[in-house]
């Protein structure tokens, strides 16, 4: 059975969860559900925030031994472009746009909310899973950032971007992954009940949303 990580922390926790998975399942496919690509490096990041760099580090776009506290990543199997499928992107740094174009040429599946608008979430998920299964079945890791949802449904998170997944679209993503029978691990991140307190119901609604999405992913 898949083992979801706790619903706390920012998306940098995926460094640990995915490094662990890669160490035993180096062919794992990653469905990255997020408003942001999180594929920066210190050279491309505008903010310097580590939660915007987990995929950049896991894909060895920068040598982890050159970054303070990241030397432990040395020796972890490198995540390859064809092992990653993005769903829900809508807020990208300029450096990330350049990197994503390169990664697409190497087999990475990259979809934005524009693709959801054009093809529906069912069509996007079909293409995402098809991309990850191009070379045969592989175990799956679902890395779900709550800010992939429109803030109407999940307001208590740190980097809100309007125009995200609806309640049903968010569930469909989790359900589609569950239906593969290949999910082995999951992150649910960026739930922060200390944010959005101007709405007294925000924290409770965001937490409940995260919990039901985990339930959907578990089938």
């Amino acid at each position: 059975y898949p083992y979801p990580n706790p619903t706390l922390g920012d998306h940098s926790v995926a460094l640990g969860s995915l490094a662990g998975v890669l160490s035993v399942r180096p062919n794992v496919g990653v469905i990255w559900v997020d408003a942001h690509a999180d594929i920066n490096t210190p050279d491309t990041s505008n903010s310097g925030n580590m939660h915007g760099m987990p995929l950049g580090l896991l894909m060895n776009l920068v040598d982890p031994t050159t970054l303070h506290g990241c030397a432990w990543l040395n020796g972890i199997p490198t995540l390859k472009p064809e092992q990653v499928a993005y769903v829900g992107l809508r807020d990208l740094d300029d450096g990330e746009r350049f990197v994503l174009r390169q990664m697409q040429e190497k087999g990475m599946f990259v979809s934005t909310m524009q693709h959801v608008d054009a093809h529906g979430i069912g069509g996007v998920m079909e293409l995402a899973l098809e991309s990850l299964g191009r070379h045969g079945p592989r175990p799956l890791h679902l890395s779900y950032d709550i800010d992939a949802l429109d803030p109407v449904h999940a307001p208590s998170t740190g980097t809100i971007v309007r125009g995200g997944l609806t309640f049903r679209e968010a569930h469909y993503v989790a359900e589609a992954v569950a239906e593969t029978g290949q999910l082995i691990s999951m992150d649910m991140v960026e739930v922060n009940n200390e944010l959005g307190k101007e709405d007294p119901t925000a924290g409770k609604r965001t937490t409940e949303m995260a919990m039901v999405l985990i339930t959907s992913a578990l089938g």
Side-chain angles (χ1 to χ4, degrees):
Y1 292 98
Y3 181 78
N5 285 338
T7 55
L8 47 83
D10 61 37
H11 221 155
S12 64
V13 303
L15 270 176
S17 60
L18 265 174
V21 174
L22 284 164
S23 67
V24 292
R25 300 288 185 91
N27 68 325
V28 67
V30 180
I31 301 100
W32 196 272
V33 188
D34 201 330
H36 312 90
D38 296 345
I39 199 169
N40 269 311
T41 67
D43 290 333
T44 63
S45 175
N46 294 326
S47 66
N49 290 329
M50 284 297 293
H51 64 85
M53 303 185 198
L55 285 178
L57 287 167
L58 290 164
M59 299 185 75
N60 261 336
L61 302 184
V62 61
D63 181 355
T65 63
T66 64
L67 301 180
H68 180 71
C70 293
W72 62 273
L73 285 167
N74 190 37
I76 298 294
T78 300
L79 189 65
K80 300 172 184 174
E82 67 268 22
Q83 290 177 254
V84 178
Y86 278 109
V87 177
L89 295 177
R90 60 189 186 279
D91 185 17
L92 302 173
D93 294 337
D94 289 340
E96 288 181 312
R97 292 178 189 275
F98 177 76
V99 170
L100 289 177
R101 283 194 291 269
Q102 292 182 316
M103 294 297 107
Q104 280 182 288
E105 293 175 0
K106 297 177 181 179
M108 179 183 284
F109 179 82
V110 179
S111 70
T112 67
M113 285 306 300
Q114 184 179 13
H115 295 98
V116 174
D117 293 339
H119 306 292
I121 194 62
V124 168
M125 287 306 297
E126 182 178 356
L127 291 171
L129 293 169
E130 181 181 287
S131 173
L132 293 177
R134 193 180 301 131
H135 302 294
R138 65 167 87 235
L140 297 176
H141 176 92
L142 176 60
S143 202
Y144 213 130
D145 189 322
I146 200 70
D147 73 22
L149 279 71
D150 191 271
V152 167
H153 306 293
S156 290
T157 187
T159 46
I160 284 174
V161 187
R162 293 178 62 188
L165 299 172
T166 66
F167 181 93
R168 269 306 307 150
E169 288 169 343
H171 272 279
Y172 189 92
V173 170
E175 292 162 358
V177 175
E179 286 176 356
T180 68
Q182 296 168 321
L183 181 65
I184 61 167
S185 52
M186 177 180 180
D187 310 311
M188 176 60 73
V189 300
E190 300 286 359
V191 178
N192 188 344
N193 291 352
E194 294 301 308
L195 300 175
K197 285 187 172 180
E198 58 273 11
D199 176 355
T201 70
K204 184 173 185 291
R205 289 191 292 117
T206 305
T207 301
E208 288 178 349
M209 189 76 236
M211 296 304 291
V212 296
L213 289 174
I214 291 172
T215 301
S216 288
L218 296 178

